[in-house]
Amino acid sequence: MTDAMHIVLDDTAMAAAGQGNVLASRLIHRAHAEPGWFLYAPTCALVEADRVRPGTAEHLAALPGITVLDLDLPAALALARQETWAEAHSQHAAQPTPDRPDGAIVATTVPKRWDGRPVRVLDLNA
């Protein structure tokens, strides 16, 4: 286990951030201001959040503490096996990688969506 905190925003978390969700705002602040905090926005989830709340993608992509994750070949292959692109890209982004050996936590406002999936969840409704 590492001390770094890696968090993937799903589409619901991104939309919530645009609506002033306090927990989402705290995550964004920590990722910008504190070493060892990393916040990721998978591209497919960013697109879906922007469909729900126009302007979300531009706003989040401009924030210095958020890393937008491209849709590379491994992510595209993961999408092909899932129902929605936003969820699939978020789940793929949360899996362990050499940079994130412990994987990442998925921040969401719909935690039930992630039941039975191989991800750790941070409920932004708490």
Side-chain angles (χ1 to χ4, degrees):
M1 297 284 288
T2 63
D3 290 337
M5 183 63 74
H6 296 276
I7 300 174
V8 173
L9 297 173
D10 77 358
D11 56 307
T12 67
M14 292 180 205
Q19 295 171 327
N21 179 288
V22 173
L23 295 176
S25 295
R26 285 182 186 164
L27 289 175
I28 292 167
H29 172 74
R30 290 187 110 166
H32 174 68
E34 295 184 31
W37 279 77
F38 303 93
L39 204 54
Y40 305 97
T43 303
C44 293
L46 194 59
V47 168
E48 188 59 33
D50 200 70
R51 287 180 178 161
V52 172
R53 184 170 170 76
T56 299
E58 250 185 306
H59 175 69
L60 289 176
L63 294 174
I66 296 180
T67 300
V68 176
L69 300 176
D70 293 334
L71 184 60
D72 58 8
L73 180 58
L77 295 174
L79 295 180
R81 295 186 290 273
Q82 300 290 330
E83 286 185 34
T84 72
W85 287 28
E87 289 176 35
H89 201 185
S90 297
Q91 180 175 325
H92 175 74
Q95 299 310 302
T97 66
D99 293 338
R100 298 183 301 276
D102 299 324
I105 299 167
V106 175
T108 185
T109 62
V110 186
K112 292 252 182 235
R113 164 195 278 186
W114 298 101
D115 285 353
R117 297 191 188 202
V119 296
R120 295 173 290 159
V121 173
L122 174 62
D123 184 352
L124 296 181
N125 296 307

